[in-house]
Amino acid sequence: MVDTQPLLNALADARVRSTEPRRAVAELIASRNGHFTARELVDDAAGLRLGVGRATVFRALELFVDLGLVERLDLPSGEHAYVACEPTHHHHVVCSLCGRSTEVEDCGMAEVAREVARRTGYRIERHRMELFGVCPECRAATNWNARATAG
Amino acid sequence: MVDTQPLLNALADARVRSTEPRRAVAELIASRNGHFTARELVDDAAGLRLGVGRATVFRALELFVDLGLVERLDLPSGEHAYVACEPTHHHHVVCSLCGRSTEVEDCGMAEVAREVARRTGYRIERHRMELFGVCPECRAATNWNARATAG
DNA sequence: ATTTTTGCAAATCATTTGCATATAT
DNA sequence: ATATATGCAAATGATTTGCAAAAAT
C-alpha cells in the first residue's frame, strides 16, 4: 500500500488535467502492494464499478509512466508489469514470491555502464537493470515453513 | 551476419530433431545483423516462400532461447526482440540506431547484485541488465554526417 | 468557449493452440 | 514403427484507436 499523495500531487501539478478517472486509477495503484499488471487494474476498476474503462486505465498508466511515478517492468516470465515508484532514476528488486518490489539506487550500476562503454566503444545512453529474488519477508516465511515441515 | 554453425550444431547435438524448418529459421537468424523480432522472421520466411509458418518460427525461437543460443530482449520501446548469442550468462549492449548488439560479460554486474542483496536483504536469484546506446560504427557515421552537414 | 479526456466497441498485434498430416529417428 | 514437429487456421490476450459525448480549464 503506497501513499496516494505523490500520484495525486502529480495530477494537480502537471500540465495535465486532474480528472476523476485518473484519481481513481491513482488510488487503485496506491492500493496495490507489489507490482501489478494493466489487466489487474482494469479488473479492479470493473469489480468496483468505478466506471473507468480499459482504455482509460491504459492511458492513465502511460501518463504516470511518463511522469516517472510508475515504472514498467518486464518480469522474467515475459509479462509486463508496473510498480509505483519515485520519479528518480533507480532500479527495482522484485520478489518472485509475493511480487513486492523495492527500489535501489545505483549500487554501482553507473560504474558498470561506464565499464561496458570502455570495453565496447558504445556510447551508453540508457540502461535497464532488474533484479529478481526473494524478499526478506518471504525468506522468513519460507524458512519458517521449511522448519515447520521438517519438524 | 552471425555464423550459422552454432545454431546448426545445436540442432545436430541436442536431444531435438534437426528439421528443415528449424534449419531455415537458423539461417534467417544468422542472416540478421542486430536484433530482430519474431514478426520479422515470420515475414522473411513468407517473403522467401520457405513454407515455414508463423507457429514454427515462434516454436523455433523458443527452442533456441531454451538452448541459450538466442536471447530475448526487451527494447526500451517495450517491443520484444531477439539476438543470437553465446550460450553463457552475459549481457547485451544494443545500438539504438542500427540494432546491432554486442555481448559483454559481467563488467561488475555480479558485484552490483551482491551489493543490492546486502542493502535490501533480498536473496537475488536472477537479474537482467540491458544497455542501450550507439555503437562505434554509428558514432563514426554520425560524426561524419555532423561534420558534413556543418561544413 | 475551447481543449482535453472518457467510454465503448471495434481494430490491431503478438503469441499460442488444436489437430490432422508430414518427418525424423 | 513411433515419437516429434509442422502448417494452417482459429483462439487468445494485450494494447490501441476512432469517435461522439462528457468534463476540465
Side-chain angles (χ1 to χ4, degrees):
Chain A
M1 178 68 179
V2 155
D3 188 14
T4 326
Q5 249 0 91
L7 290 163
L8 295 181
N9 288 342
L11 290 181
D13 292 355
R15 73 304 179 182
V16 295
R17 293 182 179 182
S18 174
T19 67
E20 180 54 38
R22 282 177 182 166
R23 283 190 292 273
V25 174
E27 307 246 320
L28 290 181
I29 292 175
S31 74
R32 296 224 149 234
N33 234 72
H35 53 64
F36 53 87
T37 63
R39 159 186 259 288
E40 288 172 322
L41 292 189
V42 171
D43 291 349
D44 284 0
L48 297 172
R49 290 170 207 297
L50 298 181
V52 172
R54 191 204 340 278
T56 300
V57 169
F58 274 94
R59 290 190 279 230
L61 273 173
E62 183 182 31
L63 173 66
F64 289 132
V65 168
D66 285 349
L67 295 177
L69 295 164
V70 165
E71 184 160 323
R72 187 171 178 164
L73 301 178
D74 295 290
L75 303 184
S77 68
E79 267 190 312
H80 284 146
Y82 300 81
V83 277
C85 62
E86 294 301 312
T88 52
H89 181 71
H90 61 266
H91 300 285
H92 291 102
V93 207
V94 178
C95 179
S96 311
L97 296 184
C98 69
R100 186 181 282 117
S101 88
T102 303
E103 297 181 30
V104 295
E105 15 64 62
D106 195 66
C107 285
M109 180 60 220
E111 178 50 45
V112 170
R114 236 171 289 130
E115 174 62 18
V116 171
R118 198 175 304 135
R119 291 196 205 175
T120 63
Y122 275 62
R123 166 152 44 80
I124 307 292
E125 297 181 327
R126 48 192 308 185
H127 61 259
R128 155 186 296 162
M129 172 175 77
E130 288 167 8
L131 298 133
F132 304 93
V134 182
C135 72
E137 288 75 7
C138 287
R139 289 179 66 176
T142 299
N143 289 337
W144 192 86
N145 286 336
R147 272 189 235 116
T149 307
Chain B
M1 177 68 178
V2 156
D3 187 14
T4 326
Q5 248 2 91
L7 290 163
L8 295 181
N9 288 343
L11 290 181
D13 291 356
R15 71 304 177 181
V16 295
R17 294 184 177 179
S18 174
T19 67
E20 181 54 36
R22 281 177 181 165
R23 282 190 293 270
V25 173
E27 307 246 321
L28 290 181
I29 292 175
S31 75
R32 296 223 149 236
N33 233 70
H35 54 63
F36 54 87
T37 62
R39 158 185 260 288
E40 289 173 322
L41 256 40
V42 171
D43 291 349
D44 284 359
L48 296 171
R49 291 168 207 300
L50 298 181
V52 172
R54 191 202 342 278
T56 301
V57 169
F58 275 94
R59 290 189 279 231
L61 272 173
E62 184 183 31
L63 173 66
F64 289 132
V65 168
D66 286 348
L67 295 177
L69 295 163
V70 165
E71 185 161 323
R72 188 171 177 161
L73 300 178
D74 294 290
L75 303 184
S77 68
E79 268 191 312
H80 284 146
Y82 301 81
V83 277
C85 62
E86 294 300 312
T88 51
H89 180 69
H90 61 268
H91 301 286
H92 291 103
V93 206
V94 177
C95 179
S96 311
L97 297 184
C98 69
R100 186 181 283 118
S101 88
T102 303
E103 298 181 29
V104 295
E105 15 63 60
D106 195 65
C107 285
M109 181 59 220
E111 178 49 45
V112 170
R114 237 170 289 132
E115 175 61 20
V116 171
R118 198 175 304 137
R119 292 196 204 174
T120 63
Y122 275 62
R123 167 153 42 82
I124 307 292
E125 296 180 326
R126 47 191 308 184
H127 62 258
R128 155 188 297 163
M129 171 175 77
E130 288 167 10
L131 299 132
F132 304 92
V134 182
C135 72
E137 287 76 7
C138 288
R139 290 178 67 176
T142 299
N143 288 338
W144 192 87
N145 287 337
R147 269 187 238 120
T149 307

Tab-separated table of all heavy atoms in Angstrom, chain A residues 17 19 22 51 56 59, chain C residues 3-8:
chain	number	residue	atom	x	y	z
A	17	ARG	N	-4.765	17.360	-16.947
A	17	ARG	CA	-5.961	17.639	-16.174
A	17	ARG	C	-6.195	16.619	-15.071
A	17	ARG	O	-5.972	15.442	-15.250
A	17	ARG	CB	-7.162	17.689	-17.106
A	17	ARG	CG	-7.041	18.878	-18.019
A	17	ARG	CD	-8.215	19.033	-18.938
A	17	ARG	NE	-8.013	20.217	-19.752
A	17	ARG	CZ	-8.888	20.656	-20.644
A	17	ARG	NH1	-10.014	20.015	-20.836
A	17	ARG	NH2	-8.635	21.736	-21.326
A	19	THR	N	-8.526	14.577	-13.408
A	19	THR	CA	-9.880	14.067	-13.631
A	19	THR	C	-10.217	12.962	-12.652
A	19	THR	O	-9.335	12.338	-12.069
A	19	THR	CB	-10.010	13.497	-15.052
A	19	THR	OG1	-9.185	12.332	-15.147
A	19	THR	CG2	-9.561	14.514	-16.080
A	22	ARG	N	-8.670	9.534	-13.512
A	22	ARG	CA	-7.240	9.464	-13.207
A	22	ARG	C	-7.008	9.318	-11.713
A	22	ARG	O	-6.131	8.573	-11.285
A	22	ARG	CB	-6.529	10.704	-13.732
A	22	ARG	CG	-6.285	10.628	-15.216
A	22	ARG	CD	-5.652	11.883	-15.770
A	22	ARG	NE	-5.486	11.754	-17.220
A	22	ARG	CZ	-5.214	12.771	-18.020
A	22	ARG	NH1	-5.101	13.987	-17.538
A	22	ARG	NH2	-5.062	12.568	-19.314
A	51	GLY	N	-16.613	2.648	-13.143
A	51	GLY	CA	-16.954	3.279	-14.398
A	51	GLY	C	-15.726	3.791	-15.134
A	51	GLY	O	-15.794	4.747	-15.896
A	56	THR	N	-8.983	3.850	-20.560
A	56	THR	CA	-8.598	4.891	-19.610
A	56	THR	C	-7.509	4.400	-18.669
A	56	THR	O	-6.588	5.143	-18.340
A	56	THR	CB	-9.820	5.358	-18.806
A	56	THR	OG1	-10.785	5.870	-19.733
A	56	THR	CG2	-9.436	6.448	-17.834
A	59	ARG	N	-4.385	4.453	-20.594
A	59	ARG	CA	-3.922	5.822	-20.828
A	59	ARG	C	-3.389	6.448	-19.544
A	59	ARG	O	-2.381	7.168	-19.564
A	59	ARG	CB	-5.058	6.645	-21.439
A	59	ARG	CG	-5.336	6.189	-22.886
A	59	ARG	CD	-6.288	7.088	-23.661
A	59	ARG	NE	-7.698	6.840	-23.381
A	59	ARG	CZ	-8.650	6.652	-24.304
A	59	ARG	NH1	-8.336	6.668	-25.588
A	59	ARG	NH2	-9.900	6.451	-23.971
C	3	DT	P	-9.228	25.407	-28.937
C	3	DT	OP1	-8.013	26.025	-29.515
C	3	DT	OP2	-10.260	24.761	-29.805
C	3	DT	O5'	-8.777	24.353	-27.842
C	3	DT	C5'	-8.158	24.830	-26.652
C	3	DT	C4'	-7.923	23.649	-25.758
C	3	DT	O4'	-9.179	23.189	-25.191
C	3	DT	C3'	-7.314	22.454	-26.490
C	3	DT	O3'	-6.268	21.953	-25.685
C	3	DT	C2'	-8.473	21.477	-26.634
C	3	DT	C1'	-9.296	21.790	-25.391
C	3	DT	N1	-10.746	21.490	-25.437
C	3	DT	C2	-11.323	21.021	-24.280
C	3	DT	O2	-10.706	20.840	-23.256
C	3	DT	N3	-12.668	20.784	-24.378
C	3	DT	C4	-13.472	20.951	-25.469
C	3	DT	O4	-14.670	20.703	-25.411
C	3	DT	C5	-12.804	21.436	-26.659
C	3	DT	C7	-13.580	21.649	-27.914
C	3	DT	C6	-11.485	21.684	-26.579
C	4	DT	P	-5.522	20.611	-26.011
C	4	DT	OP1	-4.088	20.764	-25.685
C	4	DT	OP2	-5.966	20.167	-27.353
C	4	DT	O5'	-6.169	19.637	-24.922
C	4	DT	C5'	-6.248	20.087	-23.579
C	4	DT	C4'	-6.871	19.012	-22.728
C	4	DT	O4'	-8.291	18.910	-22.993
C	4	DT	C3'	-6.289	17.615	-22.950
C	4	DT	O3'	-6.062	17.078	-21.664
C	4	DT	C2'	-7.366	16.877	-23.728
C	4	DT	C1'	-8.637	17.560	-23.212
C	4	DT	N1	-9.803	17.590	-24.132
C	4	DT	C2	-11.032	17.239	-23.617
C	4	DT	O2	-11.201	16.893	-22.463
C	4	DT	N3	-12.074	17.322	-24.512
C	4	DT	C4	-12.012	17.701	-25.826
C	4	DT	O4	-13.024	17.735	-26.515
C	4	DT	C5	-10.690	18.045	-26.306
C	4	DT	C7	-10.507	18.467	-27.725
C	4	DT	C6	-9.661	17.975	-25.446
C	5	DT	P	-5.611	15.630	-21.439
C	5	DT	OP1	-4.873	15.570	-20.167
C	5	DT	OP2	-5.023	15.155	-22.708
C	5	DT	O5'	-7.008	14.890	-21.221
C	5	DT	C5'	-7.838	15.310	-20.167
C	5	DT	C4'	-8.992	14.350	-20.023
C	5	DT	O4'	-9.925	14.559	-21.101
C	5	DT	C3'	-8.593	12.876	-20.061
C	5	DT	O3'	-9.220	12.247	-18.965
C	5	DT	C2'	-9.113	12.394	-21.405
C	5	DT	C1'	-10.316	13.304	-21.616
C	5	DT	N1	-10.740	13.552	-23.020
C	5	DT	C2	-12.075	13.431	-23.310
C	5	DT	O2	-12.922	13.117	-22.505
C	5	DT	N3	-12.393	13.704	-24.624
C	5	DT	C4	-11.536	14.072	-25.631
C	5	DT	O4	-11.967	14.293	-26.755
C	5	DT	C5	-10.148	14.179	-25.246
C	5	DT	C7	-9.116	14.553	-26.270
C	5	DT	C6	-9.815	13.913	-23.972
C	6	DT	P	-9.119	10.705	-18.764
C	6	DT	OP1	-9.132	10.437	-17.326
C	6	DT	OP2	-8.041	10.207	-19.619
C	6	DT	O5'	-10.519	10.227	-19.350
C	6	DT	C5'	-11.686	10.795	-18.810
C	6	DT	C4'	-12.929	10.083	-19.306
C	6	DT	O4'	-13.209	10.537	-20.642
C	6	DT	C3'	-12.810	8.566	-19.362
C	6	DT	O3'	-13.909	7.985	-18.678
C	6	DT	C2'	-12.870	8.229	-20.843
C	6	DT	C1'	-13.511	9.460	-21.465
C	6	DT	N1	-12.934	9.804	-22.777
C	6	DT	C2	-13.783	10.013	-23.841
C	6	DT	O2	-14.980	9.924	-23.749
C	6	DT	N3	-13.159	10.336	-25.008
C	6	DT	C4	-11.796	10.469	-25.212
C	6	DT	O4	-11.355	10.768	-26.311
C	6	DT	C5	-10.963	10.234	-24.056
C	6	DT	C7	-9.486	10.343	-24.167
C	6	DT	C6	-11.575	9.910	-22.904
C	7	DG	P	-13.792	6.500	-18.222
C	7	DG	OP1	-14.239	6.413	-16.820
C	7	DG	OP2	-12.467	5.981	-18.601
C	7	DG	O5'	-14.886	5.829	-19.162
C	7	DG	C5'	-16.148	6.439	-19.326
C	7	DG	C4'	-16.906	5.706	-20.408
C	7	DG	O4'	-16.454	6.177	-21.700
C	7	DG	C3'	-16.709	4.195	-20.411
C	7	DG	O3'	-17.976	3.587	-20.598
C	7	DG	C2'	-15.753	3.931	-21.575
C	7	DG	C1'	-16.001	5.104	-22.501
C	7	DG	N9	-14.836	5.596	-23.211
C	7	DG	C8	-13.548	5.646	-22.749
C	7	DG	N7	-12.700	6.172	-23.597
C	7	DG	C5	-13.482	6.475	-24.702
C	7	DG	C6	-13.119	7.067	-25.948
C	7	DG	O6	-12.011	7.452	-26.324
C	7	DG	N1	-14.217	7.201	-26.783
C	7	DG	C2	-15.491	6.823	-26.481
C	7	DG	N2	-16.400	7.024	-27.400
C	7	DG	N3	-15.839	6.277	-25.317
C	7	DG	C4	-14.788	6.126	-24.483
C	8	DC	P	-18.229	2.096	-20.378
C	8	DC	OP1	-19.543	1.959	-19.710
C	8	DC	OP2	-17.024	1.487	-19.776
C	8	DC	O5'	-18.403	1.583	-21.875
C	8	DC	C5'	-19.286	2.311	-22.730
C	8	DC	C4'	-18.994	1.956	-24.188
C	8	DC	O4'	-17.882	2.719	-24.678
C	8	DC	C3'	-18.624	0.488	-24.382
C	8	DC	O3'	-19.666	-0.143	-25.121
C	8	DC	C2'	-17.321	0.501	-25.153
C	8	DC	C1'	-17.194	1.935	-25.624
C	8	DC	N1	-15.799	2.420	-25.666
C	8	DC	C2	-15.389	3.157	-26.774
C	8	DC	O2	-16.207	3.381	-27.672
C	8	DC	N3	-14.110	3.607	-26.832
C	8	DC	C4	-13.266	3.342	-25.831
C	8	DC	N4	-12.019	3.820	-25.932
C	8	DC	C5	-13.663	2.585	-24.683
C	8	DC	C6	-14.930	2.148	-24.641
